[in-house]
Amino acid sequence: MATLADSFLADLDELSDNDADIIEEDDVDAGNMEEDIDGDMADIETLNYDDLDSVSKLQKTQRYNDIMQKVEDALEKGSDISNQGLVLEDDPEYQLIVDCNALSVDIENEIIIIHNFIRDKYRLKFPELESLVHHPIDYARVVKKIGNEMDLTLVDLEGLLPSAIIMVVSVTASTTSGKPLPDEVLQKTIDACDRALALDAAKKKVLDFVESRMGYIAPNLSAIVGSAVAAKLMGTAGGLSALAKMPACNVQLLGAKKKNLAGFSTATSQFRVGYIEQTEVFQTTPPALRMRACRLLAAKSTLAARVDSTRGDPSGNTGRSLREEIRKKIEKWQEPPPAKQPKPLPVPDSEPKKKRGGRRLRKMKERYALTDMRKLANRMQFGVPEESSLGDGLGEGYGMLGQAGSGKLRVSVAQSKLAAKVAKKFKEKTYGSSGATSGLTSSLAFTPVQGIELTNPQAHAHQLGSGTQSTYFSETGTFSKIKRT
């Protein structure tokens, strides 16, 4: 049986063997890493960012030359009518259009790379220019025009930039901290500008070819935005299929440029609008409605591109109907609001209105009900003059109240149901329901006529509870008997 010390020694031996294996693997990985680093360094050393040919290589590729040659031949030959009956995917002209769309995207990327090269070289001469002119082609034209000239008043930039930007560039150049470039660097910068302008011209030629074939490739999209704008949209999106898969909000931004207003007003500038602003519908729309029209055009253009991608309507009727729908909507937006119609009076309602009922209304009627005294005061007897407060018919008239023969000088107010209920509760609370009387109650009562009189205490208590007072008169109006409580 192995002891504890022997097991520890065995574990140590295993650990030492594993460490040796790990060290060998690390040596192999380190060797491979050194080889990779050497290879990467060799690639980096071969790259020379001062050389334009090592940065821009598109124009020297076989694919670029083949496509441009086919485009030039197709433009010279014109459209081939014999291929109109073929399936769209099998048509060689359609395949050329797809290749042109892909090439236009590559040309855009190549122009951006050359623009960065020009910007890095010309930054020593005019560092503020890149913040004033954003578009790569405009920047290349301005750089080629200015060159090493320090006084921009001697350089005519008319036609290259807007007047406001030209003024800002001239003022900024007078205070710039840049210095003239060496002749070698300036020559490389001018060559890069020429290459960027050549690529831009090739891109325009490709778009012209695609535009000439848009009536066959995308008839519905061309019916809405026109052949030129349809070709630009397809070229920027990367083909008709890519345009059909794109949402309308992104189609609206295709071809949008970053605008530098140089501190001027933004009232007349259109933001977030691309190639769609070049359409006839957009240009004929009033400025206040152009953004709505742009969104509508982008939405309908997306629908038309989806129809064209599936060859749903080669005749283009769908596109023409969508364009007519756009036109009607824009005309509807421009219509003045309808005149405000006079509101007629409501129909007279001859039926009595519904009145609320219930306990609250009954109590209110009982509280404000017409009393018997007021009824007599409002009533007059025929042929009998009424008494008045000032006499001789002056003052407030009493009507039939207190007239001779009525037998009443004052009309007692009838006890209301509410008062009767309160009196009943008071009686039950004071005397209880057993009928017992208080021990201090006397059966003797003093009256002014008879003197001492025997009375009933329970009847006396009943009169106290009711709170009434009786007055008796004879038929002749003489006093007969008064009971006072």
Side-chain angles (χ1 to χ4, degrees):
M1 183 177 180
T3 60
L4 184 61
D6 295 337
S7 62
F8 282 155
L9 291 174
D11 293 338
L12 290 174
D13 292 337
E14 292 177 0
L15 286 175
S16 62
D17 295 338
N18 292 335
D19 291 341
D21 296 338
I22 292 173
I23 290 172
E24 291 177 358
E25 292 176 359
D26 291 341
D27 292 339
V28 174
D29 294 339
N32 294 333
M33 188 179 298
E34 289 176 359
E35 292 178 359
D36 295 339
I37 292 174
D38 293 339
D40 295 339
M41 290 301 293
D43 294 338
I44 292 174
E45 289 175 358
T46 56
L47 291 176
N48 186 5
Y49 289 101
D50 291 335
D51 186 12
L52 182 60
D53 293 333
S54 63
V55 176
S56 174
K57 301 179 181 179
L58 179 63
Q59 287 178 308
K60 295 182 178 181
T61 59
Q62 187 66 29
R63 169 173 166 266
Y64 174 84
N65 295 324
D66 293 342
I67 294 177
M68 292 306 300
Q69 185 63 38
K70 291 180 181 179
V71 167
E72 292 176 359
D73 295 341
L75 288 176
E76 292 177 359
K77 183 177 63 173
S79 179
D80 190 2
I81 308 297
S82 62
N83 295 331
Q84 298 291 330
L86 294 176
V87 182
L88 186 62
E89 287 76 9
D90 298 337
D91 191 355
E93 198 166 72
Y94 175 75
Q95 297 298 328
L96 180 58
I97 290 176
V98 173
D99 295 338
C100 288
N101 290 327
L103 182 62
S104 64
V105 176
D106 295 339
I107 291 175
E108 283 283 347
N109 298 331
E110 194 74 12
I111 289 175
I112 292 174
I113 293 172
I114 298 175
H115 172 63
N116 293 332
F117 180 84
I118 300 172
R119 195 173 54 183
D120 293 339
K121 297 297 181 185
Y122 205 70
R123 190 173 292 164
L124 300 176
K125 165 68 173 60
F126 196 172
E128 295 86 1
L129 184 61
E130 59 185 271
S131 62
L132 300 177
V133 182
H134 298 287
H135 196 260
I137 301 302
D138 294 341
Y139 186 82
R141 289 172 180 167
V142 172
V143 169
K144 185 178 179 180
K145 190 75 173 179
I146 295 175
N148 251 349
E149 185 65 46
M150 298 301 296
D151 188 7
L152 290 190
T153 57
L154 304 176
V155 180
D156 185 17
L157 297 177
E158 195 69 31
L160 300 180
L161 295 174
S163 300
I165 304 298
I166 291 175
M167 182 177 63
V168 175
V169 169
S170 301
V171 173
T172 307
S174 62
T175 59
T176 184
S177 60
K179 298 178 182 180
L181 295 176
D183 295 338
E184 183 183 357
V185 178
L186 180 62
Q187 186 60 38
K188 291 182 179 179
T189 306
I190 298 300
D191 293 342
C193 294
D194 293 336
R195 185 169 296 189
L197 295 176
L199 286 173
D200 185 61
K203 180 186 173 185
K204 288 182 179 178
K205 189 178 295 185
V206 169
L207 291 178
D208 290 340
F209 166 71
V210 176
E211 179 183 347
S212 64
R213 303 300 189 269
M214 286 306 296
Y216 165 61
I217 300 300
N220 297 286
L221 181 61
S222 301
I224 295 177
V225 297
S227 300
V229 178
K232 293 177 181 178
L233 291 176
M234 281 183 56
T236 308
L240 185 59
S241 301
L243 183 63
K245 296 176 182 177
M246 190 176 294
C249 58
N250 293 350
V251 173
Q252 178 183 343
L253 300 179
L254 291 178
K257 297 180 182 178
K258 183 179 181 182
K259 297 185 179 181
N260 182 22
L261 299 175
F264 291 92
S265 174
T266 60
T268 58
S269 63
Q270 292 286 344
F271 292 99
R272 303 181 65 83
V273 177
Y275 292 130
I276 293 182
E277 69 177 349
Q278 302 175 12
T279 58
E280 181 186 357
V281 176
F282 185 89
Q283 296 296 332
T284 56
T285 304
L289 300 174
R290 282 186 176 179
M291 289 308 298
R292 294 179 65 184
C294 180
R295 288 192 289 268
L296 183 61
L297 279 169
K300 301 302 182 183
S301 300
T302 305
L303 295 178
R306 290 169 184 171
V307 173
D308 291 332
S309 64
T310 58
R311 304 299 292 173
D313 187 8
S315 62
N317 293 328
T318 302
R320 285 188 285 272
S321 63
L322 290 175
R323 182 185 175 88
E324 185 67 19
E325 182 181 347
I326 293 171
R327 187 187 61 81
K328 289 182 179 179
K329 282 191 176 183
I330 295 177
E331 289 180 356
K332 184 69 175 177
W333 295 343
Q334 300 179 56
E335 289 181 0
K340 189 175 181 181
Q341 300 294 333
K343 187 177 181 181
L345 295 174
V347 179
D349 190 6
S350 59
E351 298 180 358
K353 294 183 178 181
K354 295 182 179 179
K355 297 180 180 180
R356 65 171 297 166
R359 182 169 174 267
R360 184 187 301 177
L361 185 65
R362 289 196 301 271
K363 295 232 173 147
M364 185 190 69
K365 286 184 177 180
E366 184 180 347
R367 189 179 302 114
Y368 295 104
L370 197 65
T371 59
D372 293 339
M373 185 186 300
R374 179 55 62 184
K375 289 179 182 179
L376 289 175
N378 293 338
R379 188 178 302 162
M380 293 183 64
Q381 190 174 359
F382 181 75
V384 178
E386 66 172 352
E387 297 182 5
S388 58
S389 59
L390 299 180
D392 296 334
L394 301 176
E396 185 179 358
Y398 293 150
M400 293 184 64
L401 188 64
Q403 284 188 356
S406 63
K408 294 182 180 180
L409 179 64
R410 180 178 297 175
V411 178
S412 61
V413 181
Q415 190 178 20
S416 63
K417 295 181 181 180
L418 185 62
K421 188 181 295 185
V422 171
K424 184 176 180 182
K425 287 184 179 179
F426 178 76
K427 176 182 177 183
E428 292 177 356
K429 182 178 179 181
T430 307
Y431 301 105
S433 59
S434 60
T437 59
S438 174
L440 300 178
T441 304
S442 174
S443 61
L444 298 177
F446 294 90
T447 61
V449 181
Q450 290 92 352
I452 299 175
E453 180 183 0
L454 289 174
T455 60
N456 188 0
Q458 294 182 355
H460 181 65
H462 178 69
Q463 292 179 1
L464 283 176
S466 62
T468 58
Q469 183 178 6
S470 301
T471 305
Y472 299 93
F473 293 90
S474 63
E475 294 182 358
T476 59
T478 59
F479 172 75
S480 61
K481 182 176 68 172
I482 297 177
K483 283 188 178 182
R484 294 185 180 180
T485 58

